[in-house]
Amino acid sequence: MTTQLVQDPYNIIITGVGGQGNVMASRVLSNMLVSKGFFVTIGETFGASQRGGSVMSHIRVSSQGIWSPQIPKGQAHVVVTLEPVEAVRVLARYGNPSVRVLTNTRPIYPADVIAGEANYPDLSEIKETLGKLTEKSWFIDATDRAMSMGNPILGNIIMIGALTAVGDIPAGREDFAAVISRTLPEGKIDDNMAAFDLGVEMLKKAS
Amino acid sequence: MSHVTVDTSEGSTVLLMGNEAIVRGALEAGVNVASGYPGTPSSEIVETFSKVASERRLYVEWSVNEKVALEVAAAASFARLRSLCAMKQNGVNVASDFLLHLVGSGTRGGIVLVSCDDPGALSSVNEGESRYFARLMEMPLLEPGDFQEAKDMTKWAFDLSEELKQIVMLRSVTRMSHASGNVTFGALPDQPAKKAEFKFDGFILDPDEGVVISAPVEWKHQQQQEKVKKAREMFETSPFNTYSGPERPELLLITSSACNLYSREALKLLGVEDRVGLLKLGTTWPLPPKLLGKHLASTDKVLIVEEVIPFLEENVKILAAELASEIGTKTFYGKNDGLIPMTGEMNPDLVIEALKSILNLDYRAVPQEYEQTAQLSAFTGAPPRDQVFCPGCPHRASFFSIHNAIELDGRKGFVCGDIGCYSMAIRPTGFGVLKTLHAMGSGAGVASGFGQLGRFGMDQPVLAVCGDSTFYHAVIPALVNAVHNRANITLVVLDNSGTAMTGFQPHPGLDHNVLGEEVPAVDIAKVCRGIGARVEIRDPFDVEETRRTINELMDDPEGVKVLILRQACALSPQRKYVKNYSMKVDEELCLGEECGCGRFCTRIFRCPGLIWNKDKGKALIDEVICVGCGVCADICPQKAIRREEVAS
């Protein structure tokens, strides 16, 4: 784990589909970073936008101060996507040749795809696209593993664990433990810690 | 306890959402009463107050609508308490009739109206501007430029209001209210039990002890305008107006609110901080002329960056015209010359484009080849994601039945709608049945008008929909109007047991309030019957019975019919994480592409929990997404979708 920012501001995007727990994931990660003494700015929208649409949290980590809640074009350093095609969507605006992308492989099909009016690409196509558009990308079956743990929402925590294992985030397991001990009821701590550790392990295997 | 009060000591730093920072500021100012009506992006303000109500000895309420919310907050001010009232941009329109009279009468205890605007309509069906109300109503306007200021400025707004004896408006935007950042706390005051007292026995014009009234109008209006002048004087030295940049900049960028953060970042990315001066204004009405004059005099070119319509731009130009003999003529850039878009929300990139054009700069965020590949990949490889009703949403079932009833009826009936999740019924997720969509309660009001047009030969059945919270907010007067004037309409109340779209706030139909106290519920059916409407109540998950009832009501030629479709929101506390049925598709029975003009369930019904197995050519339940409402079992013509009760 690094203690310094590799870039300042360091720009993280967490993206997914309304209802997946995007806001919760960004809140947990940001509180880990605030506890390390960093300034964190989060930009996100919720309300109507969460009804099955694409959602994004922009997280700016800095030792200098507050930044724009919208990341400028082409300035993402790392993208965490809770849903695979959202990775492709987000890079059109925020990607750049040195971006790194961490993707959950479980699709959520858009209404137009379910209705047969649009095509959802195969995972192999998404992998190929991300291969072209990123410096490095990882694919993790986070939701599938979370389901076998008994709750698909833990997929978000698996993704946060995996993100810390990428190496550029100046916060780790202890910070995660400290944040959830403040925000979650006692009975949920063990499952969340297990999910975090699983994410770390899965990223190492995917590398 | 909430994280806005987790640390009562001065100097601790906490990650707060803009809305929470506003609450913390009000708590530091010793606020006593908070009211509002839910509306994105403002709803977290009253919610956060409610969580600390008992520890901070507050009275907090979700009022029936924004006008009443402001009246409730004003009463506290008249009794010399401090109060805050929060709403989204169009709520200010609702409150504005009272507001006009309130600014005329003046206020006593500090009172702050918080309006959270939604540039880009991220969660609205309009881009309404509340800032113009400050000028229209002749009252002071503050706009925080970051999260720390959202707290500090709210605290100060109460002092300002008490000094002026006038309500103060604080305007936020989605990217301020729903964004988060580090906020350093000030001290929370000891909250002694304050005695509320309304004094009215003094001289009629005594602002502290007379009656509270906007008459004699001309005299009071002059008094009101004196307050604006005093605010203007105070704003000249406000610490919330800041300047950074060279003494004589090539270009002066004037901005406010979230646009301050976009502008700062744009200047940094372009590396022109030593060429362009940034004047960030926190007090945007009335503008302080001496401060503006000083900065305008230092340059020839001025760029104004704001959201959404050119309010700041117009006001700066008026000042510049008045000061022209002292400061000379200027070249202005902004929205009026088209350099910055007149609609939608701003971002750092739009500011970069404007600066590039004015200063003749070259800047490319990413190599052109990368950008083209990334955009093409998204265009061809990322299918669009339309907003949809949640899996298990009662609205999908309700609109399915309304749609089928109108089709069966065959007279080209249509539905007038209004604001809520159910607004999405203009889209395929609600089978496109909504044909008009305007303000809160407008479905019933517009239908009341259509319901009179039979005399002009209109023979189409007229329907309207509203939500349960909307019913209390603005539908009741429209319903009274329809009954009294004998309009022939069918109103469907989509009662999902809460203000669902904004996060499930309680409303007058429920037996508890935001503080968790038991309160009398006002029954929608009784209200409608009392008004004189025919009322039926059904469960929308019973799609056939619902459809049959709608057809029967449409066939009833007389007066106002109300159908209450009662089923809790899929995200409500009573339904969330509760799966009544486990759904399965019987692949033997499923006809696939051959069904109902092709894949009836996935092509027409379109629940996200019901997907398509491309390999087998059959419908499939997505176990992660399906919430087990069981409705799809009834809509499948082949009875191939089956529900099994889940043991509880």
Side-chain angles (χ1 to χ4, degrees):
Chain A
M1 187 183 98
T2 171
T3 53
Q4 300 286 317
L5 290 172
V6 291
Q7 306 271 348
D8 195 339
Y10 184 74
N11 301 327
I12 307 165
I13 294 179
I14 301 182
T15 182
V17 177
Q20 276 195 298
N22 223 80
V23 171
M24 181 271 279
S26 81
R27 210 36 58 112
V28 170
L29 179 65
S30 299
N31 274 308
M32 287 163 64
L33 291 156
V34 168
S35 72
K36 287 289 195 189
F38 292 106
F39 288 95
V40 178
T41 315
I42 316 174
E44 56 203 351
T45 60
F46 30 96
S49 45
Q50 76 173 172
R51 306 287 183 249
S54 305
V55 291
M56 255 196 295
S57 299
H58 288 193
I59 302 172
R60 326 278 318 262
V61 193
S62 173
S63 53
Q64 303 166 41
I66 291 299
W67 292 83
S68 153
Q70 294 189 73
I71 294 175
K73 194 169 155 184
Q75 303 289 319
H77 296 115
V78 66
V79 178
V80 179
T81 74
L82 306 179
E83 201 283 344
V85 291
E86 295 310 314
V88 179
R89 201 187 312 280
V90 82
L91 292 181
R93 180 163 183 91
Y94 301 100
N96 58 75
S98 52
V99 71
R100 310 213 228 167
V101 177
L102 177 59
T103 303
N104 179 14
T105 53
R106 174 94 184 191
I108 294 179
Y109 298 108
D112 290 0
V113 170
I114 295 175
E117 292 157 11
N119 180 49
Y120 192 99
D122 290 332
L123 192 61
S124 61
E125 292 172 59
I126 296 173
K127 284 184 176 173
E128 195 191 318
T129 304
L130 296 194
K132 277 190 293 192
L133 295 174
T134 66
E135 184 190 83
K136 194 156 173 43
S137 56
W138 298 267
F139 293 83
I140 287 183
D141 303 327
T143 302
D144 297 346
R145 292 297 292 270
M147 280 170 77
S148 55
M149 292 178 77
N151 187 353
I153 206 81
L154 286 172
N156 298 339
I157 303 300
I158 294 177
M159 295 299 285
I160 290 177
L163 174 64
T164 62
V166 167
D168 287 352
I169 305 293
R173 189 178 195 275
E174 281 175 27
D175 308 300
F176 175 73
V179 168
I180 63 167
S181 74
R182 288 203 307 267
T183 51
L184 289 182
E186 184 86 28
K188 292 190 171 177
I189 302 284
D190 287 351
D191 273 358
N192 277 270
M193 288 311 299
F196 184 93
D197 292 339
L198 180 60
V200 173
E201 193 188 308
M202 287 171 85
L203 187 97
K204 285 179 185 158
K205 278 190 194 149
S207 295
Chain B
M1 185 163 340
S2 141
H3 57 292
V4 296
T5 55
V6 68
D7 203 332
T8 48
S9 59
E10 211 169 330
S12 56
T13 296
V14 176
L15 182 69
L16 290 189
M17 198 192 289
N19 280 343
E20 295 169 332
I22 288 169
V23 171
R24 175 73 193 196
L27 294 176
E28 289 180 10
V31 71
N32 308 102
V33 170
S35 61
Y37 182 81
T40 313
S42 71
S43 312
E44 296 77 13
I45 295 175
V46 169
E47 272 175 1
T48 306
F49 274 123
S50 74
K51 287 178 194 149
V52 299
S54 96
E55 64 175 291
R56 301 306 302 166
R57 298 191 199 183
L58 313 178
Y59 173 68
V60 182
E61 77 167 39
W62 281 125
S63 308
V64 69
N65 64 31
E66 292 87 351
K67 176 170 176 279
V68 176
L70 189 58
E71 287 158 349
V72 165
S77 166
F78 299 155
R80 298 177 192 236
L81 301 180
R82 287 189 159 190
S83 59
L84 183 146
C85 185
M87 56 193 66
K88 73 179 293 176
Q89 74 276 7
N90 32 328
V92 185
N93 299 12
V94 177
S96 63
D97 192 10
F98 177 68
L99 184 58
L100 174 64
H101 295 89
L102 182 64
V103 291
S105 74
T107 57
R108 290 179 183 174
I111 174 167
V112 179
L113 167 61
V114 178
S115 170
C116 302
D117 291 11
D118 189 18
L122 300 167
S123 198
S124 304
V125 292
N126 66 76
E127 289 198 287
E129 265 273 7
S130 64
R131 292 182 301 169
Y132 281 87
F133 276 106
R135 201 166 77 182
L136 184 66
M137 302 284 172
E138 301 170 278
M139 63 178 178
L141 171 66
L142 308 178
E143 292 185 77
D146 63 31
F147 312 100
Q148 184 68 42
E149 274 195 5
K151 178 190 84 66
D152 296 343
M153 201 180 255
T154 306
K155 181 175 183 229
W156 176 62
F158 284 93
D159 295 336
L160 178 65
S161 168
E162 270 171 25
E163 182 152 353
L164 299 174
K165 297 189 191 303
Q166 184 61 290
I167 185 168
V168 170
M169 180 156 145
L170 184 126
R171 185 249 196 179
S172 176
V173 293
T174 302
R175 301 286 181 180
M176 186 64 62
S177 278
H178 278 177
S180 304
N182 304 51
V183 174
T184 303
F185 286 175
L188 283 180
D190 295 329
Q191 195 90 313
K194 223 178 190 178
K195 184 168 178 343
E197 189 185 0
F198 178 41
K199 294 191 174 171
F200 46 72
D201 294 333
F203 172 55
I204 183 173
L205 296 175
D206 185 315
D208 293 309
E209 301 195 352
V211 292
V212 184
I213 182 172
S214 56
V217 172
E218 211 168 307
W219 195 92
K220 289 287 273 196
H221 196 179
Q222 278 172 17
Q223 198 179 48
Q224 185 191 343
Q225 290 179 348
E226 286 304 316
K227 295 175 185 179
V228 176
K229 279 187 197 155
K230 188 171 172 188
R232 181 179 293 143
E233 198 55 44
M234 291 170 74
F235 290 172
E236 292 285 4
T237 54
S238 166
F240 298 114
N241 301 323
T242 57
Y243 176 78
S244 58
E247 211 169 293
R248 297 201 65 81
E250 247 173 86
L251 173 74
L252 178 68
L253 192 164
I254 306 179
T255 190
S256 66
S257 192
C259 290
N260 167 49
L261 298 171
Y262 306 149
S263 301
R264 242 164 53 184
E265 184 132 7
L267 295 178
K268 194 144 196 154
L269 277 172
L270 293 172
V272 291
E273 290 153 300
D274 55 346
R275 294 170 64 188
V276 180
L278 181 70
L279 179 62
K280 192 280 293 180
L281 295 176
T283 66
T284 43
W285 184 259
L287 286 177
K290 287 182 202 133
L291 179 79
L292 264 296
K294 185 183 93 180
H295 288 288
L296 289 170
S298 71
T299 187
D300 296 326
K301 293 179 179 171
V302 182
L303 168 66
I304 292 141
V305 179
E306 65 187 311
E307 293 168 322
V308 177
I309 36 182
F311 173 78
L312 188 58
E313 184 172 334
E314 285 172 9
N315 295 331
V316 169
K317 283 174 174 171
I318 291 170
L319 257 186
E322 287 170 358
L323 298 170
S325 62
E326 297 162 41
I327 63 169
T329 55
K330 308 291 163 191
T331 305
F332 284 97
Y333 304 93
K335 297 202 174 228
N336 276 347
D337 65 347
L339 194 62
I340 286 179
M342 199 57 120
T343 57
E345 72 168 343
M346 291 294 297
N347 58 45
D349 305 307
L350 290 169
V351 186
I352 287 173
E353 287 308 312
L355 289 168
K356 274 168 68 180
S357 155
I358 300 167
L359 300 173
N360 275 322
L361 300 169
D362 270 330
Y363 171 85
R364 203 160 229 306
V366 284
Q368 191 169 5
E369 195 188 340
Y370 179 94
E371 190 175 336
Q372 281 171 352
T373 312
Q375 285 177 356
L376 186 67
S377 302
F379 183 71
T380 56
R385 212 177 269 286
D386 201 6
Q387 285 176 3
V388 290
F389 291 129
C390 303
C393 175
H395 296 334
R396 178 179 292 102
S398 297
F399 285 114
F400 185 74
S401 300
I402 294 171
H403 173 261
N404 291 347
I406 290 172
E407 290 299 306
L408 265 173
D409 176 86
R411 289 177 291 168
K412 293 199 167 177
F414 58 91
V415 184
C416 304
D418 62 28
I419 306 301
C421 284
Y422 53 93
S423 301
M424 288 195 291
I426 54 170
R427 310 198 59 78
T429 193
F431 316 100
V433 303
L434 284 195
K435 302 305 179 193
T436 74
L437 172 57
H438 299 88
M440 293 285 286
S442 289
V446 170
S448 172
F450 274 122
Q452 298 295 347
L453 302 184
R455 70 194 76 215
F456 296 105
M458 201 177 92
D459 52 7
Q460 297 157 278
V462 180
L463 293 91
V465 289
C466 73
D468 39 341
S469 191
T470 310
F471 177 82
Y472 302 100
H473 180 287
V475 169
I476 294 172
L479 200 62
V480 170
N481 191 68
V483 169
H484 180 69
N485 293 305
R486 295 180 181 278
N488 176 13
I489 63 169
T490 302
L491 170 68
V492 181
V493 182
L494 305 162
D495 181 357
N496 59 5
S497 308
T499 317
M501 180 172 216
T502 47
F504 234 75
Q505 294 80 8
H507 61 57
L510 303 179
D511 59 8
H512 62 276
N513 64 15
V514 71
L515 299 174
E517 298 160 340
E518 221 174 285
V519 287
V522 179
D523 184 64
I524 295 177
K526 282 187 190 158
V527 171
C528 293
R529 288 190 182 114
I531 292 171
R534 174 184 169 187
V535 179
E536 302 289 342
I537 302 169
R538 298 287 183 274
D539 175 359
F541 283 175
D542 187 344
V543 285
E544 188 43 39
E545 173 61 14
T546 299
R547 200 271 314 144
R548 195 196 59 72
T549 306
I550 296 168
N551 278 127
E552 190 197 316
L553 295 178
M554 285 164 74
D555 285 340
D556 180 346
E558 283 300 313
V560 176
K561 286 79 65 176
V562 176
L563 171 62
I564 301 171
L565 292 179
R566 197 171 279 164
Q567 180 61 251
C569 168
L571 304 177
S572 67
Q574 64 261 50
R575 280 194 59 208
K576 204 173 181 183
Y577 308 123
V578 179
K579 214 168 181 169
N580 287 332
Y581 301 105
S582 170
M583 305 305 294
K584 293 272 175 309
V585 175
D586 184 333
E587 291 179 1
E588 298 288 307
L589 289 175
C590 177
L591 295 178
E593 297 283 1
E594 307 304 313
C595 175
C597 308
R599 299 168 49 172
F600 184 74
C601 62
T602 53
R603 194 177 58 84
I604 306 294
F605 194 61
R606 290 179 179 230
C607 175
L610 190 58
I611 58 177
W612 185 246
N613 187 334
K614 224 173 14 182
D615 302 331
K616 292 188 177 169
K618 306 277 179 186
L620 177 72
I621 304 294
D622 186 327
E623 292 296 336
V624 176
I625 295 171
C626 174
V627 299
C629 71
V631 173
C632 56
D634 291 330
I635 64 105
C636 175
Q638 272 297 99
K639 303 288 173 216
I641 306 177
R642 294 192 174 153
R643 50 184 164 225
E644 287 165 24
E645 292 216 19
V646 174
S648 56

